[in-house]
């Protein structure tokens, strides 16, 4: 933060949150960017504000920002004139700045007269309801990391390195680029101007008009923006090429990339146009800007960022090369574009009031991925929402989870809010909400929410009020689905208080487990918090369950009807009538609800028999859900492992890829666990069983890119696993393909879906590993390079792995810093590399934090990805000791406790299930 009092400026490199504004009056020219400007002397005045959050006595209305970046000396200078509205009398102004050299600060009254002169401590109080202008001149270096206004580079095919400058502000980094009110509720308009050389192009949120200056420089004037939060401001100076198209409503959509990657932009353009048109129709609200740019940035930490009108992406999230991109790559690009375009409404048009409700942005955008892609690209339909919810449950079933809406004040706490709970659980709770309100009521409610809070901010309660009050505005009245807050919603014949219900999902931690048992003609129900690290027999169990109660919209099917039955469970115990004649019951139909189900008594046996006799009596989603729930319950010690393994005994008859991959994933996880633990007999027996049991489906796979997306994903996963297990036909085919590819000087086009498997087999030989590393340096496809990166990390040569990780971390020349966290996690998953990866994390911890920032996704990914491979109390102790050695940083992070919970979960799994796994395999092999 910094503040202005009597035009005395003080700086505090503290991270709060931003909001900005601009004003149509042209700011004065910034000083020469080649001249070092001295910072403003603030004397000995004390800082007048002690809170992380900004005071609300002054709000910005309009920012006029002029920047002049110099891509040769890697610095920039600028001026910003902020139009301010005084809400309450005050004699100081507090706003944010981090790492900027503020050289001049001037306050003008609303008539543009100087109110004071700099550094004179005799200023009349800034008066309530008056407007003032704060003029600041500043400069800074272009950042070396991934936040603020930072530099990025790319290398051409001729070896030339070119530099660009780009921004990333979410959540608290706009203050690193220019002085501003960096909190999401301080929405304002922006007028941005950028000076540049004629060799470059400047991009920002709005369309541009360019003038030529006397010195030959170009000055780009971008149109005044809509009201928006500071974290959505963006600007780029680069030499990229673009491809453009126009939507049916007249929005110009452009995709930008480095010139030699221009050919990889065409799929993204088609997808963006199609998805933008879908959202305009679905929300019944026009996209409010005249253009939408999507830009592939060479150095980018996250997957993408939804800056309004100028979305930035990691190259692997936007660029699609048909010759090297797999079916999964295409799905990923489509999902990320869908996610970021959904943000143009959820997040940009309507923004959460504060970061504690970031799920209103990220949960909605994640869920809208599913709705939009399912509609616009039905051939890509693979029901990945199941995986989304399974991942959420994995985090939510640990003691260290958090509520969807959680306290977050410091920048580190705010960064950690961008996690599985906000994204995945948020999406799954919305999915459940949509299913019990019906699609139409849900859609009407969110349209109302978006219209009511357009260009403003909202909280949790505002969403519930919009969904539970669709009758108060004429345009949202909808016949039989119309209801209001004065009436509770009728669900399955029972009245539903929407706010009370949804608070149980967003304001308390965890995921419920519903245990069902047959008692005559009734189904007896019991709910509790599901925990994988604590058993009901543990002394701590009662305290961990105390106070937990969800309002659960239950659904179930039986063998006597095709109907879906519904019941709202609002108490710890309950029961429903199902009839004496019912044979089996499946609860949580198609996993529409965010809860697990345990079948007490003979319930699991009935379902195991059903799958053996007639698995198509249940939908493929129900089959997948059963597999997931069974193995989660074994981890928690609530169901024997042999029962869960018996459940997937039907998979030879399974024709749908989703449940097949789900069952296979658990067997693969068990194999990789015992392989890491170096238990030779169990490793061999499990490998033998998997290859024997799935022999038929493995042999049916072709080394090609043919088939549906689901079939191609199955092929990729199956052949990768078969080769990893040492299957001779798989290894021989992969080695032949790799040899032919090398002999062609890498001009032979391998099937994209099996490329990574082929490379991984080839990387086991010294010559193959060296060849892949060389080709990595030459490839122009980041998707292709990612496959090579994974293959190189699969080497069983520990010396290579050590040089690979340490070299990448110290230099960042061949392997970009943005890929370092992925590389560390890849090596950690290698049975020969997991201790090496963890040792590197401990040794280079300070370097990693400097590169990625504490609380960032990359730091969390490194911590979880390395420690998640541990299964012993000794390893748990080692991790705890390390976290204690960095206590000042670790105490700010939730992820450290998540990591220790994961290790404890792994230890308990071994204690509960390793012996059962061994004896079950012995029976199968005999």
């Amino acid at each position: 933060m910094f503040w202005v009092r009597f035009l005395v400026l003080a700086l505090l490199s503290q991270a709060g949150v931003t909001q900005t504004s601009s004003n149509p009056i042209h700011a004065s020219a910034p000083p020469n960017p080649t001249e070092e400007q001295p910072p403003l002397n603030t004397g000995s005045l004390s800082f007048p504000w002690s809170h992380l959050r900004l005071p609300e006595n002054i709000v910005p209305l309009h920012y006029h920002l002029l920047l002049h970046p110099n891509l040769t000396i890697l610095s920039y200078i600028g001026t910003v004139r902020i139009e301010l509205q005084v809400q309450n009398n005050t004699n100081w102004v507090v706003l944010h700045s981090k790492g900027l050299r503020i050289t001049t600060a001037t306050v003008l009254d609303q008539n543009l007269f100087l109110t004071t002169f700099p550094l004179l401590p005799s200023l009349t109080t800034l008066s309530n309801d008056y407007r003032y202008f704060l003029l600041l001149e500043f400069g800074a270096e272009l950042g070396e990391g991934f936040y603020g206004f930072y530099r990025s580079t790319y290398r051409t095919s001729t070896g030339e390195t070119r530099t660009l400058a780009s921004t990333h502000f979410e959540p608290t980094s706009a203050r690193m680029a220019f002085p501003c009110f960096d909190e999401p509720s301080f929405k304002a308009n922006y007028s941005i101007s950028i000076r540049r050389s004629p060799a470059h192009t400047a991009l920002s949120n709005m369309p541009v008009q360019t003038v030529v200056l006397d010195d030959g420089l170009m000055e780009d004037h971008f149109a005044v923006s809509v009201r928006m939060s500071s974290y959505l401001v963006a600007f780029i100076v680069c030499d990229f090429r673009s491809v453009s198209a126009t939507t049916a409503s007249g929005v110009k959509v452009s995709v930008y990339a480095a010139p030699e990657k221009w050919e990889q932009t065409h799929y993204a353009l088609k997808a963006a146009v199609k998805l933008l048109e879908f959202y305009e129709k679905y929300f019944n609200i026009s996209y409010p800007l005249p253009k939408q740019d999507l830009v592939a940035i060479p150095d980018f930490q996250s997957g993408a960022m939804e800056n309004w009108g100028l979305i930035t992406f990691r190259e692997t999230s936007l660029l699609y090369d048909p010759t090297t991109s797999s079916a999964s790559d295409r799905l990923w690009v489509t999902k990320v574009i869908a996610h970021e375009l959904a943000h143009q409404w959820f997040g940009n048009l309507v923004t959460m009031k504060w970061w504690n409700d970031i799920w209103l942005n990220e949960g909605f955008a994640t869920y809208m991925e599913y709705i939009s892609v399912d509609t616009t690209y039905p051939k890509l339909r693979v029901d990945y929402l199941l995986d989304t919810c399974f991942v959420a449950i994995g985090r939510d079933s640990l003691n260290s989870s958090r509520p969807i809406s959680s306290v977050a004040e410091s920048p580190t706490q705010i960064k950690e809010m961008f996690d599985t709970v906000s994204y995945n659980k948020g999406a799954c709770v919305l999915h459940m909400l949509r299913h019990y309100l019906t699609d139409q009521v849900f859609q009407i409610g969110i349209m109302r929410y978006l219209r009511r809070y357009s260009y403003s901010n909202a909280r949790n309660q505002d969403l519930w009020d919009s969904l539970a009050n669709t009758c108060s505005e004429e345009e949202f009245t909808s016949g039989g689905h119309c209801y209001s807050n004065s009436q509770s919603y009728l669900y399955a014949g029972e009245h539903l208080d929407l706010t009370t219900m949804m608070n149980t999902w967003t304001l308390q931690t965890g995921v419920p487990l519903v245990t069902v048992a047959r008692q005559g003609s009734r189904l007896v129900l019991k709910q509790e918090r599901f925990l994988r690290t604590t058993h009901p027999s543990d002394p701590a169990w009662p305290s961990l369950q105390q106070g937990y109660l969800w309002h659960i919209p239950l659904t179930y099917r039986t063998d006597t009807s095709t109907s879906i039955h519904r019941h709202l469970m609002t108490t710890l115990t309950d029961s429903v009538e199902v009839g004496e004649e019912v044979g089996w019951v499946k609860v949580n139909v198609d996993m529409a609800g965010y809860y697990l189900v345990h079948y007490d008594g003979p319930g699991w046996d009935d379902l195991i028999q059903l799958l053996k006799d007639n698995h198509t009596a249940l939908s493929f989603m129900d089959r997948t859900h059963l597999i997931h729930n069974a193995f989660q319950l074994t981890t928690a010690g609530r169901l024997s492992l042999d029962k869960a393994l018996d459940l997937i005994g039907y998979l030879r008859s399974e024709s749908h890829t989703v449940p097949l991959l789900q069952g296979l994933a658990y067997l693969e996880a068990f194999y990789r666990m015992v392989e890491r633990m170096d238990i030779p007999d169990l490793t061999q027996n499990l490998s033998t069983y998997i290859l024997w049991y799935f022999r038929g489906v493995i042999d049916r796979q072709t080394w090609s890119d043919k088939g549906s997306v689901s079939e191609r994903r199955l092929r990729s996963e199956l052949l990768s696993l078969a080769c990893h297990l040492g299957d001779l036909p798989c290894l021989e085919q992969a080695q032949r393909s790799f040899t032919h590819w090398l002999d062609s000087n890498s001009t032979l086009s391998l099937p994209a879906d099996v490329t990574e498997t082929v490379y991984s087999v080839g990387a086991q030989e010294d010559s193959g590993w060296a060849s892949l590393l060389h080709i990595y340096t030459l490839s122009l496809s980041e998707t292709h390079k990612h496959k090579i990166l994974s293959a190189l990390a699969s080497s069983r040569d520990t010396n290579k792995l050590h040089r690979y990780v340490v070299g990448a971390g110290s230099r960042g020349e061949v392997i970009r810093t943005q890929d370092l966290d992925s590389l560390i996690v890849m090596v950690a998953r290698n049975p020969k590399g997991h201790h090496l990866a963890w040792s590197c994390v401990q040794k280079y911890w300070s370097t990693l934090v400097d590169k990625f920032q504490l609380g960032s996704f990359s730091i969390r990914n490194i911590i979880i990805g390395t420690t998640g491979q541990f299964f012993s109390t000794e390893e748990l102790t080692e991790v705890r000791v390390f976290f204690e050695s960095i206590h000042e940083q670790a105490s700010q992070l939730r992820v450290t406790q998540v990591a220790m919970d994961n290790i404890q979960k792994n230890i308990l799994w071994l204690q509960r299930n390793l012996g059962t796994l061994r004896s079950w395999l012995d029976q199968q092999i005999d």
Side-chain angles (χ1 to χ4, degrees):
M1 294 180 188
F2 73 85
W3 61 284
V4 180
R5 181 176 186 260
F6 308 146
L7 288 224
V8 178
L9 188 71
L11 298 173
L12 181 64
S13 292
Q14 206 170 14
V17 196
T18 294
Q19 189 97 41
T20 60
S21 98
S22 76
N23 117 37
I25 302 167
H26 199 290
S28 60
N32 190 322
T34 63
E35 296 178 2
E36 182 73 13
Q37 300 298 316
L40 191 66
N41 179 18
T42 60
S44 59
L45 292 178
S46 60
F47 196 74
W49 190 250
S50 59
H51 306 286
L52 281 174
R53 303 272 288 272
L54 292 174
E56 297 181 352
N57 50 15
I58 290 180
V59 296
L61 300 177
H62 200 137
Y63 291 76
H64 192 93
L65 177 64
L66 172 61
L67 296 169
H68 184 183
N70 187 315
L71 299 188
T72 302
I73 64 173
L74 303 177
S75 66
Y76 69 100
I77 45 79
T79 63
V80 62
R81 179 179 286 161
I82 311 174
E83 183 180 356
L84 305 173
Q85 175 73 51
V86 178
Q87 309 279 58
N88 296 292
N89 291 352
T90 183
N91 57 3
W92 39 262
V93 181
V94 178
L95 59 160
H96 289 110
S97 172
K98 183 176 181 182
L100 303 176
R101 296 184 300 274
I102 309 292
T103 56
T104 304
T106 307
V107 172
L108 308 174
D109 66 17
Q110 56 194 3
N111 297 315
L112 299 183
F113 291 119
L114 278 173
T115 301
T116 75
F117 296 95
L119 304 181
L120 290 181
S122 56
L123 172 63
T124 305
T125 298
L126 300 180
S127 302
N128 181 37
D129 290 335
Y130 276 75
R131 292 189 181 185
Y132 297 85
F133 296 93
L134 174 62
L135 177 62
L136 301 164
E137 294 182 354
F138 59 94
E141 308 302 314
L142 289 170
E144 293 185 354
F146 303 97
Y147 294 95
F149 194 19
Y150 70 94
R151 60 183 183 259
S152 176
T153 61
Y154 70 93
R155 186 174 298 174
T156 68
S157 58
T158 60
E160 178 190 358
T161 297
R162 295 184 181 178
T163 301
L164 62 138
S166 184
T167 58
H168 185 100
F169 294 161
E170 189 181 37
T172 61
S173 294
R175 69 198 65 177
M176 295 173 66
F178 61 98
C180 55
F181 294 76
D182 203 11
E183 295 182 3
S185 61
F186 288 105
K187 290 197 170 187
N189 301 102
Y190 292 83
S191 296
I192 295 174
S193 298
I194 296 177
R195 288 184 185 166
R196 59 173 174 84
S197 75
H200 293 105
T201 298
L203 303 171
S204 189
N205 305 82
M206 300 298 291
V208 65
Q209 288 187 340
T210 302
V211 298
V212 180
L213 303 181
D214 293 340
D215 57 4
L217 292 176
M218 317 295 284
E219 187 165 289
D220 294 314
H221 300 278
F222 296 91
V224 179
S225 76
V226 295
R227 291 188 73 246
M228 61 183 182
S229 303
S230 58
Y231 77 86
L232 295 171
V233 175
F235 32 87
I236 300 169
V237 178
C238 64
D239 65 347
F240 288 177
R241 289 183 62 192
S242 66
V243 58
S244 301
T246 304
T247 67
S249 61
V251 178
K252 182 181 179 181
V253 179
S254 302
V255 181
Y256 288 80
E260 291 181 304
K261 298 180 180 181
W262 178 80
E263 290 290 346
Q264 302 174 40
T265 61
H266 298 286
Y267 175 75
L269 179 65
K270 292 178 182 177
V273 168
K274 199 170 188 178
L275 287 161
L276 195 61
E277 290 174 344
F278 167 83
Y279 285 133
E280 286 192 313
K281 183 177 179 181
Y282 186 88
F283 297 134
N284 196 27
I285 298 173
S286 297
Y287 176 73
L289 306 186
K291 63 96 174 175
Q292 176 65 73
D293 297 336
L294 300 86
V295 187
I297 305 297
D299 296 284
F300 200 82
Q301 185 175 11
S302 57
M305 175 59 210
E306 65 269 18
N307 316 299
W308 215 345
L310 182 61
I311 305 174
T312 46
F313 294 77
R314 184 179 283 222
E315 289 184 333
T316 53
S317 299
L318 184 66
L319 304 183
Y320 177 81
D321 182 352
T323 63
T324 61
S325 299
S326 66
S328 294
D329 296 331
R330 184 183 175 204
L331 176 62
W332 172 251
V333 168
T334 312
K335 286 170 56 180
V336 176
I337 293 172
H339 183 103
E340 302 309 321
L341 289 177
H343 270 313
Q344 307 304 297
W345 286 265
F346 282 101
N348 298 10
L349 184 64
V350 179
T351 311
M352 73 279 142
K353 179 76 173 175
W354 182 249
W355 301 104
N356 62 304
D357 280 334
I358 186 58
W359 85 276
L360 290 173
N361 289 19
E362 301 300 348
F364 258 111
T366 302
Y367 187 47
M368 289 310 300
E369 286 176 30
Y370 171 77
I371 294 176
S372 62
V373 175
D374 197 52
T375 302
T376 57
Y377 285 92
K379 291 184 179 179
L380 290 180
R381 186 179 299 159
V382 290
D383 296 283
Y384 54 81
L385 188 66
L386 287 173
D387 290 332
T388 298
C389 298
F390 294 162
V391 170
I393 288 170
R395 166 71 187 276
D396 225 12
S397 56
L398 299 176
N399 290 338
S400 52
S401 189
R402 66 169 181 85
I404 286 179
S405 183
S406 301
V407 173
E409 293 295 328
S410 73
T412 297
Q413 291 172 338
I414 292 167
K415 286 187 182 73
E416 279 207 298
M417 292 294 288
F418 292 79
D419 66 356
T420 301
V421 174
S422 292
Y423 285 72
N424 297 53
K425 183 179 180 179
C428 297
V429 167
L430 289 170
H431 181 63
M432 178 172 65
L433 184 64
R434 180 185 178 212
H435 269 258
Y436 74 73
L437 290 183
T438 73
D439 294 356
Q440 185 179 4
V441 169
F442 180 82
Q443 186 175 359
I444 291 170
I446 62 175
M447 285 191 296
R448 173 185 171 77
Y449 169 79
L450 289 171
R451 290 200 178 183
R452 176 184 284 182
Y453 298 101
S454 289
Y455 307 105
S456 187
N457 300 82
R459 298 181 176 90
N460 257 356
Q461 187 61 50
D462 300 321
L463 177 61
W464 312 146
D465 289 345
S466 298
L467 287 165
N469 191 9
T470 60
C471 292
S472 61
E473 292 181 15
E474 184 177 348
E475 66 267 32
F476 291 113
T477 301
S478 178
H481 292 293
C482 187
Y483 60 98
S484 69
N485 237 358
S486 59
Q487 320 162 287
S488 56
Y489 181 58
L490 199 65
Y491 177 78
E494 304 168 60
H495 287 283
L496 170 67
D497 181 338
L498 192 64
T499 295
T500 300
M501 174 192 168
M502 294 312 298
N503 283 346
T504 70
W505 296 100
T506 60
L507 301 184
Q508 67 178 349
T509 303
V511 56
L513 170 68
V514 175
T515 300
V516 301
R518 291 288 299 278
Q519 285 188 8
S521 64
R522 299 194 71 78
L523 196 65
V524 178
L525 311 168
K526 181 183 74 171
Q527 65 161 287
E528 64 193 61
R529 182 185 175 190
F530 177 64
L531 292 166
R532 291 187 293 167
T533 52
T534 312
H535 191 268
S537 61
D538 294 340
W541 181 261
S543 63
L544 292 172
Q545 294 293 328
Q546 188 171 3
Y548 282 93
L549 174 69
W550 286 267
H551 289 193
I552 307 174
L554 291 172
T555 56
Y556 61 94
R557 281 190 58 217
T558 72
D559 59 338
T560 60
S561 171
T562 58
S563 300
I564 297 175
H565 305 279
R566 305 174 188 276
H567 175 70
L568 184 65
M569 185 179 184
T570 59
T571 53
L572 291 175
T573 59
D574 205 345
S575 67
V576 293
E577 179 71 28
V578 294
E580 293 279 359
E581 69 282 4
V582 166
W584 55 261
V585 178
K586 166 63 176 68
V587 180
N588 199 357
V589 177
D590 291 339
M591 201 183 168
Y594 184 70
Y595 58 95
L596 295 96
V597 183
H598 179 37
Y599 300 90
D600 210 359
W604 279 109
D605 292 329
D606 292 342
L607 292 167
I608 290 170
Q609 194 61 48
L610 172 66
L611 292 178
K612 288 180 179 178
D613 295 342
N614 181 23
H615 67 275
T616 57
L618 298 175
S619 71
F620 79 88
M621 287 191 287
D622 272 338
R623 303 195 296 270
T624 308
H625 179 240
L626 283 175
I627 293 169
H628 169 266
N629 279 202
F631 282 98
Q632 294 302 304
L633 288 165
T634 65
T635 303
R638 308 295 291 271
L639 184 69
S640 64
L641 178 61
D642 53 358
K643 192 84 74 177
L645 290 167
D646 287 344
L647 182 78
I648 62 173
Y650 87 97
L651 283 179
R652 272 186 177 162
S653 304
E654 181 60 77
S655 59
H656 201 287
T657 59
V658 174
L660 187 58
L661 283 172
Q662 187 68 28
L664 190 64
Y666 285 109
L667 294 175
E668 180 179 359
F670 299 158
Y671 176 83
R672 291 185 181 274
M673 174 188 66
V674 297
E675 182 185 35
R676 276 194 302 270
M677 296 179 64
D678 196 19
I679 309 176
D681 63 319
L682 196 50
T683 303
Q684 182 58 51
N685 285 348
L686 190 50
S687 171
T688 300
Y689 172 76
I690 294 172
L691 291 174
W692 166 76
Y693 188 82
F694 292 99
R695 182 81 268 160
V697 68
I698 291 172
D699 287 345
R700 288 195 297 272
Q701 303 309 307
T702 60
W703 294 70
S704 70
D705 287 336
K706 296 178 180 177
S708 67
V709 172
S710 293
E711 290 166 344
R712 293 175 64 183
R713 291 181 76 207
L714 177 64
R715 175 188 302 126
S716 181
E717 296 289 337
L718 270 177
L719 293 180
S720 174
L721 178 58
C723 281
H724 184 76
L725 295 177
D727 181 52
L728 193 57
C730 184
L731 290 172
E732 289 175 345
Q733 179 60 55
Q735 188 61 58
R736 279 195 301 272
S737 297
F738 186 73
T739 301
H740 292 157
W741 178 71
L742 280 184
D743 289 345
S744 74
N745 196 26
S746 71
T747 59
L748 177 70
S749 182
L750 291 169
D753 295 332
V754 297
T755 295
E756 190 171 325
T757 297
V758 170
Y759 288 171
S760 295
V761 171
Q764 303 312 311
E765 299 291 334
D766 289 349
S767 60
W769 199 91
S771 296
L772 283 168
L773 183 59
H774 174 67
I775 292 166
Y776 180 91
T777 65
L778 302 177
S779 177
L780 291 176
S781 167
E782 288 300 313
T783 298
H784 183 221
K785 292 173 73 171
H786 185 80
K787 293 177 173 60
I788 298 176
L789 198 72
S790 177
L792 294 171
S794 72
S795 171
R796 300 303 176 99
D797 185 329
T798 54
N799 291 326
K800 280 192 179 70
L801 293 176
H802 183 268
R803 293 197 306 271
Y804 192 34
V805 175
V806 173
S810 62
R811 293 187 300 274
E813 296 169 358
V814 175
I815 297 170
R816 291 183 180 274
T817 299
Q818 68 172 14
D819 298 318
L820 181 57
D821 63 322
S822 296
L823 172 59
I824 292 171
V825 173
M826 289 172 182
V827 171
R829 290 173 180 165
N830 183 332
K832 297 295 184 181
H834 63 288
H835 283 116
L836 164 65
W838 172 241
S839 296
C840 287
V841 171
Q842 296 176 86
K843 185 175 181 179
Y844 300 106
W845 172 255
S846 296
T847 301
L848 292 170
V849 172
D850 288 342
K851 288 179 182 293
F852 295 119
Q853 290 198 5
L854 197 65
S856 66
F857 168 79
S858 295
I859 290 295
R860 288 179 277 132
N861 189 34
I862 288 169
I863 291 175
I864 295 297
T866 52
T867 61
Q869 315 303 317
F870 295 153
F871 287 82
S872 70
T873 54
E874 293 78 14
E875 289 166 327
L876 177 60
T877 299
E878 181 182 335
V879 171
R880 182 180 290 114
V881 168
F882 173 67
F883 287 157
E884 289 171 354
S885 73
I886 56 165
H887 174 74
E888 185 176 348
Q889 292 171 321
S891 62
Q892 301 178 55
L893 297 172
R894 280 196 186 95
V895 72
T896 53
Q897 188 57 53
V898 175
M900 290 191 288
D901 276 2
N902 266 326
I903 301 172
Q904 184 64 40
K905 173 208 68 180
N906 294 344
I907 293 169
L908 290 172
W909 192 96
L910 288 176
Q911 294 173 353
R912 293 164 176 166
N913 299 304
L914 191 62
T916 304
L917 178 62
R918 187 186 297 275
S919 58
W920 187 87
L921 281 171
D922 288 341
Q923 293 174 10
Q924 303 304 311
I925 293 174
D926 291 344

